[in-house]
Amino acid sequence: QTWCTKAFDGSHGYGIIGLSFGIEERDIWGELVTQKFQIPVKLFDCFIPPERSPPISKTAPNNTVCPKNHLGEPKLDGICYGAAYDSFRVCLAGQEVTVAGRKYDTLEAQLKGFPKLSVHLKIDVEGSEWDVLEWLVANPHEWDKIRTLDMEIHFGFGSAAILEKYKD
């Protein structure tokens, strides 16, 4: 068993929520977290039109028994959440702001109230991760709330909700 699986399965403590920023049409990370570990997730994306994303439009199977393959692993040929999910038309950035009609919120706001090592976090936010990482490094008491971090890094992308101090 890998350390990552142990971080999710409860053998070394429990995470109580998954936060997934940048889900697009489908969020396989969120599906796996709910199906394999029965951890509820909150899904965030402000770019994808709801009609193209069953989770954002809240029409995906929610808190249900999901199909498994012959090995008992999640069968990912259709969208299914094995624990509760909720979705929000909000993106992640280093500041709370609305840009071009899209609402951005901070990681600080989403971590509020969670205890140490309780949050499984996935970030795929097309450049906004730099502002979020800078804030996280400067706030170790908030970093302590994160049990696992799954992140895609984008070099050469700027945040769509760029902080004033980074503008040329």
Side-chain angles (χ1 to χ4, degrees):
Q1 193 177 39
T2 66
W3 71 267
C4 187
T5 301
K6 290 177 184 177
F8 277 98
D9 74 3
S11 62
H12 291 79
Y14 287 95
I16 59 173
I17 189 79
L19 301 178
S20 184
F21 294 95
I23 71 160
E24 299 182 358
E25 288 89 357
R26 180 176 187 186
D27 184 44
I28 291 178
W29 180 91
E31 291 177 53
L32 287 170
V33 167
T34 65
Q35 290 183 43
K36 290 183 83 158
F37 307 108
Q38 286 65 55
I39 297 171
V41 294
K42 291 184 178 181
L43 312 173
F44 300 85
D45 199 305
C46 67
F47 281 88
I48 193 73
E51 62 273 9
R52 287 187 32 213
S53 174
I56 288 293
S57 65
K58 301 179 191 287
T59 60
N62 193 356
N63 202 19
T64 191
V65 176
C66 299
K68 297 193 181 296
N69 66 22
H70 68 284
L71 299 172
E73 292 292 318
K75 191 174 182 182
L76 297 172
D77 56 353
I79 298 172
C80 188
Y81 289 86
Y85 82 86
D86 201 359
S87 60
F88 305 89
R89 298 271 301 142
V90 175
C91 283
L92 183 65
Q95 62 182 343
E96 185 179 331
V97 65
T98 300
V99 177
R102 293 185 173 96
K103 183 179 178 190
Y104 293 82
D105 203 355
T106 63
L107 186 57
E108 179 179 18
Q110 297 306 320
L111 291 175
K112 189 174 185 113
F114 287 110
K116 186 176 181 178
L117 294 175
S118 63
V119 177
H120 296 284
L121 179 62
K122 186 215 80 175
I123 299 175
D124 181 3
V125 291
E126 311 303 316
S128 293
E129 68 273 8
W130 296 108
D131 294 343
V132 174
L133 281 174
E134 182 177 10
W135 172 82
L136 205 50
V137 167
N139 292 278
H141 62 284
E142 296 292 335
W143 184 262
D144 287 348
K145 296 176 181 181
I146 298 170
R147 185 168 199 80
T148 62
L149 174 60
D150 185 348
M151 185 153 131
E152 186 172 306
I153 301 290
H154 299 89
F155 293 97
F157 284 63
S159 172
I162 194 163
L163 294 172
E164 242 351 274
K165 66 182 179 178
Y166 294 123
K167 288 187 178 179
D168 294 334

